[in-house]
Structures are given as C-alpha cells and as structure tokens.
Amino acid sequence: MNNIVLIGFMGSGKTTFGRWLKINKKYGFCDTDQYIEKQQQKKIKEIFADDGEKAFRDMETQALKELIGTLENTVISVGGGLPVRKENTRLLKELGTVVYLKTSAEVLLKRLKSDKDRPLLAGGNIKEKIESLMQAREDIYLAAADIVIDTDNLSFEEMFNIIKGADKNEIFSN
Ligand code: S3P
C-alpha cells in the first residue's frame, strides 16, 4: 500500500517526524498510540495499568488490521513495541514501506529521562531499561525495515530526502 510506516524505539521521533511531514509535506498522518487512546478513551499508561500489556498488544494488532485498506498517502507512526509481535511485522509490510528511525541510546536517554508517560520505562534505572529493551529489539526493527535511517545527526528535511531517494514505491514523490 501507498503509505510510509515509521518504526523505532520510544523517543526516536516517530510521532514528531510524522507530524512534521503532515504539516510541511502535506501527507496524511496517523499514530497507532493515539488511534488506540481515542478508541479506548484512555491514555496508554491507563491501558497498561487497567488491562495489562497483553491487552494493549492485542489492541495494536487490531488497530493495524483496521488501518490496512483504509489509509493512503499517509505516514503511520507505530508504538515502539509493536513490531515485536511477528504477526504485526507482516501487517506493517502490508500497510506500506517500513522505515526504521534508528537513534543512539545516548540521544534516547536524554529525551526519555524525565518521561512519565511510558509504562515500560517507569521505575528503576532508566538507562539500563533503555539499553536492555534496545538490545532485545534492534534485530527485530532491522528485519522489519525496508529503509533504515540513522537519525542522530539529521534534520527532518534530510530524513525526508533519504526516504524519498530510497523508497522503491516512491511514495514521497507523489
Ligand atoms: C511502547 C512504546 C510506546 C507505547 C507504549 C509501549 C514500547 O510508544 O506504545 O508505551 O513497548 O516501546 P512510543 O514508541 O511512541 O513511545
């Protein structure tokens, strides 16, 4: 399908870059966390607390199934843990070109150290949590991605141009 899907760790800029593309390049934008929050009328943090992570992961898979076939020319940012479920990786590929926003642990730590909204980082040593989750997920992100972008030293305009040049489906040329 004719979409760009942004994957990557929490804090890698998926939502911020997606919003920037909407404002500056006029693509549609959809964020799976926001989609789920709207549907459930609850914040992600509350879903984790009330219903548990498994229920949230089921909601993510369901959201992907609902979005397939309904979105076009849209940038879709997905929660950092979404690609971990195998079934979801297949669904992501159906949605569009998958772009992994790769960000270093140092940059992520700077962005996430005061975060209060991400249940998987709550309590304990945040640096260790980021590092162990990154280690567990890096290969999954790489396997799921059609395009990998090292985001640390790039502007959004540069990231846009890299995707435009690398995407065989030429979605950003429309
Ligand atoms: C999660 C990432 C979050 C959100 C939830 C779980 C994860 O989204 O879906 O807190 O497992 O990495 P962002 O990647 O947008 O922060």
Side-chain angles (χ1 to χ4, degrees):
M1 288 170 66
N2 208 17
N3 301 299
I4 293 283
V5 183
L6 302 176
I7 65 169
F9 204 78
M10 295 173 258
S12 58
K14 297 165 294 201
T15 309
T16 319
F17 180 48
R19 284 210 190 101
W20 181 91
L21 288 166
K22 177 184 165 156
I23 293 165
N24 294 283
K25 306 290 176 188
K26 313 294 176 216
Y27 292 99
F29 173 64
C30 174
D31 177 89
T32 55
D33 282 344
Q34 287 166 10
Y35 181 89
I36 291 169
E37 286 184 337
K38 202 166 162 199
Q39 211 170 42
Q40 300 294 319
Q41 294 290 302
K42 276 188 203 183
K43 291 279 172 204
I44 302 292
K45 207 160 80 169
E46 293 162 346
I47 297 173
F48 268 72
D50 297 349
D51 312 308
E53 181 171 355
K54 160 85 171 62
F56 174 70
R57 300 302 175 193
D58 290 341
M59 290 170 199
E60 288 188 313
T61 303
Q62 185 55 32
L64 287 181
K65 288 180 178 165
E66 288 168 17
L67 295 175
I68 288 172
T70 66
L71 297 178
E72 239 191 285
N73 268 309
T74 297
V75 177
I76 302 147
S77 62
V78 306
L82 185 143
V84 174
R85 196 182 264 192
K86 246 204 173 109
E87 181 187 7
N88 293 352
T89 305
R90 184 181 57 76
L91 295 169
L92 289 176
K93 296 253 185 223
E94 269 187 58
L95 258 184
T97 301
V98 180
V99 179
Y100 168 29
L101 303 189
K102 188 171 157 62
T103 309
S104 67
E106 299 75 60
V107 171
L108 292 174
L109 182 62
K110 262 189 220 151
R111 290 187 191 156
L112 294 168
K113 62 177 188 274
S114 316
D115 186 87
K116 298 273 174 288
D117 294 323
R118 290 173 170 97
L120 292 185
L121 301 179
N125 183 323
I126 187 156
K127 185 168 182 281
E128 280 170 14
K129 284 190 176 175
I130 291 174
E131 282 168 358
S132 77
L133 268 178
M134 278 181 85
Q135 210 178 6
R137 290 177 175 179
E138 172 75 357
D139 288 349
I140 296 170
Y141 291 149
L142 288 172
D146 298 302
I147 300 169
V148 180
I149 300 187
D150 270 300
T151 65
D152 278 4
N153 298 304
L154 294 176
S155 68
F156 285 166
E157 190 72 44
E158 287 169 325
M159 286 162 57
F160 170 77
N161 283 322
I162 291 172
I163 298 171
K164 196 170 166 177
D167 178 21
K168 289 188 204 78
N169 298 322
E170 300 189 339
I171 294 163
F172 283 168
S173 305
N174 296 338

